[in-house]
Amino acid sequence: MKTIGIIGGMSWESTLLYYQIINREVATRLGKLHSAKILLESFNFQEIANLQAQGEWPVLARLLSDSARKLQIAGADCVLIATNTMHKIADEVQASIRIPLLHIGDATAAAIQSQGLDSVGLLGTRFTMEQDFYRERLERLDIHCLIPEQAQRDEMHRIIFEELCQGKCLPGSRLMVQQMIRSLAERGAQGVILGCTEIPLLIGADDACLPVFDTTRLHAMAAVDFIYTGYLPSMVFSARPSVDLAMAH
């Protein structure tokens, strides 16, 4: 079995979800006491959030690139950045290592395309919704992203940082996010991307009026697929590697 490297702690609430999803899926596939081989470096999210707020993306790129190199040296066969927002500097991180970076946007795009959709709502941090690094990656695959109006974007950002990243899942916030999804549906969204890895703590498929694309689960499942097949749901690594059957043993 290949080893998954995770750059986590942004926040640890969602990193926990990655660990659970990956290990439970491996146990489902192999049974008995099987679990995944995982290397994890977990950041202090307060330090990361401060740098995000200051716009210090080059500093963040260096920090995450250093983390990815550590995971590579330790024996990881692939790397996941366990957060949507930090994929803003995914290209810099990939350039710093020889092993593949599994991009959360590519895993999400593959799921959207599998349902034949081409217009989806995008919820996430202000950085993910308002900057182009995430939306443009999907739009290159002919997936158009709609984002909430300004007041709703501000509220979504607040819910993520002041509640979900601190382990708070409030019923009133769930209602607000459901209203955001309804508003996106009225504007033509055919589905909604939960484009922050903490949002699934608050909203699931049964809570939304649209098909939900849980980026945390999709990204984690892409990692499990990789350790068995070598398949990368990626535009950067466009050629599908040959299947190594020995990976599953």
Side-chain angles (χ1 to χ4, degrees):
M1 183 187 297
K2 289 189 176 291
T3 300
I4 300 168
I6 300 178
I7 304 175
M10 300 171 285
S11 69
W12 72 263
E13 295 281 353
S14 61
T15 303
L16 177 61
L17 294 178
Y18 274 86
Y19 193 76
Q20 290 177 328
I21 294 165
I22 291 170
N23 281 302
R24 285 172 177 168
E25 179 62 18
V26 169
T28 296
R29 295 190 188 192
L30 294 182
K32 296 184 179 180
L33 299 178
H34 286 285
S35 59
K37 295 172 66 176
I38 295 174
L39 295 169
L40 168 66
E41 180 163 23
S42 188
F43 279 96
N44 176 355
F45 189 40
Q46 185 63 64
E47 296 173 358
I48 297 296
N50 290 344
L51 291 168
Q52 289 176 340
Q54 295 161 11
E56 294 285 358
W57 298 104
V59 176
L60 289 163
R62 289 196 295 274
L63 287 173
L64 267 67
S65 293
D66 287 345
S67 177
R69 283 191 290 269
K70 290 177 187 176
L71 292 169
Q72 176 179 270
I73 291 169
D77 295 293
C78 68
V79 169
L80 278 67
I81 302 174
T83 162
N84 285 270
T85 294
M86 293 310 296
H87 278 75
K88 178 177 172 67
I89 46 86
D91 289 346
E92 291 93 324
V93 176
Q94 177 62 84
S96 73
I97 54 177
R98 297 184 305 276
I99 57 177
L101 173 77
L102 275 61
H103 198 292
I104 198 167
D106 297 338
T108 303
I112 294 168
Q113 290 179 321
S114 74
Q115 294 198 27
L117 308 184
D118 58 18
S119 180
V120 292
L122 173 62
L123 300 177
T125 66
R126 184 179 297 116
F127 311 110
T128 300
M129 291 186 288
E130 296 180 356
Q131 298 182 21
D132 59 11
F133 67 93
Y134 201 94
R135 290 182 285 115
E136 282 192 354
R137 194 171 185 98
L138 270 63
E139 286 169 0
R140 289 202 295 269
L141 296 172
D142 297 322
I143 300 170
H144 177 60
C145 291
L146 299 169
I147 61 174
E149 301 297 337
Q150 182 68 60
Q152 291 184 329
R153 296 200 300 271
D154 292 344
E155 184 60 15
M156 186 75 258
H157 189 86
R158 185 199 66 77
I159 290 169
I160 290 168
F161 279 89
E162 296 182 14
E163 296 176 12
L164 300 180
C165 288
Q166 299 180 43
K168 302 173 185 176
C169 296
L170 305 181
S173 295
R174 180 176 294 108
L175 291 173
M176 284 187 277
V177 175
Q178 288 174 318
Q179 179 55 52
M180 294 177 199
I181 296 172
R182 284 193 293 270
S183 297
L184 290 166
E186 291 168 0
R187 291 168 52 201
Q190 302 162 325
V192 62
I193 299 171
L194 305 185
C196 172
T197 52
E198 283 78 27
I199 298 178
L201 294 167
L202 185 67
I203 291 287
D206 294 339
D207 302 308
C209 62
L210 292 173
V212 164
F213 296 94
D214 176 346
T215 57
T216 311
R217 176 167 291 279
L218 292 169
H219 201 202
M221 294 296 282
V224 177
D225 287 342
F226 173 78
I227 64 176
Y228 285 104
T229 69
Y231 171 62
L232 293 161
S234 169
M235 299 191 307
V236 176
F237 293 86
S238 56
R240 181 165 181 158
S242 58
V243 175
D244 183 354
L245 296 178
M247 290 180 186
H249 300 285

